[in-house]
Amino acid sequence: MMSPTVLDRLFNAEYQQHNPQIPNGNAAIKSLLGNLPADLKYEPGLVVAEGDYVTIHGRFIGWGPKPLVAVDIFRVADGKIAEHWDVMQEEVPAAHSANGNSMSTSPQT
């Protein structure tokens, strides 16, 4: 887990969160990260950056009962994360999808 000092360096003091389950501010991020399951695994995939925005398409394992595929969008201001949006959904394995394609850009297990 990241230390509070690292989080203060990474997140803007006026950090805004757009996930309806997470409050604004650094204290909410510190609390969230401090309460994540010990076996949580994140596999980043495609990263796109343009201007002040960075988008990461990745995969969470251990956040819920099934792996989750997510798109996280970050706005960066003065070198710190100032704002965050996300879209998450349960992963459907490629073998069970209508097109046979993986939902993630990282390998599925």
Side-chain angles (χ1 to χ4, degrees):
M1 181 181 84
M2 287 189 231
S3 73
T5 305
V6 170
L7 295 174
D8 290 336
R9 288 195 321 248
L10 295 175
F11 288 84
N12 185 296
E14 289 82 37
Y15 170 74
Q16 292 184 1
Q17 175 61 253
H18 294 278
N19 180 316
Q21 298 176 337
I22 305 170
N24 289 326
N26 290 348
I29 294 301
K30 291 174 186 177
S31 176
L32 173 72
L33 293 177
N35 290 309
L36 291 175
D39 62 345
L40 177 69
K41 182 179 175 185
Y42 178 70
E43 298 173 346
L46 179 67
V47 177
V48 177
E50 184 171 328
D52 295 338
Y53 292 89
V54 177
T55 301
I56 305 171
H57 184 254
R59 184 171 181 250
F60 290 92
I61 301 167
W63 190 290
K66 294 182 181 179
L68 297 170
V69 176
V71 174
D72 288 285
I73 304 166
F74 300 94
R75 183 177 64 82
V76 178
D78 298 322
K80 293 186 177 187
I81 298 171
E83 208 163 356
H84 171 259
W85 298 260
D86 62 21
V87 179
M88 301 175 93
Q89 68 184 94
E90 286 186 354
E91 181 179 45
V92 176
H96 295 109
S97 85
N99 53 37
N101 296 327
S102 169
M103 291 178 65
S104 65
T105 51
S106 58
Q108 291 185 18
T109 55

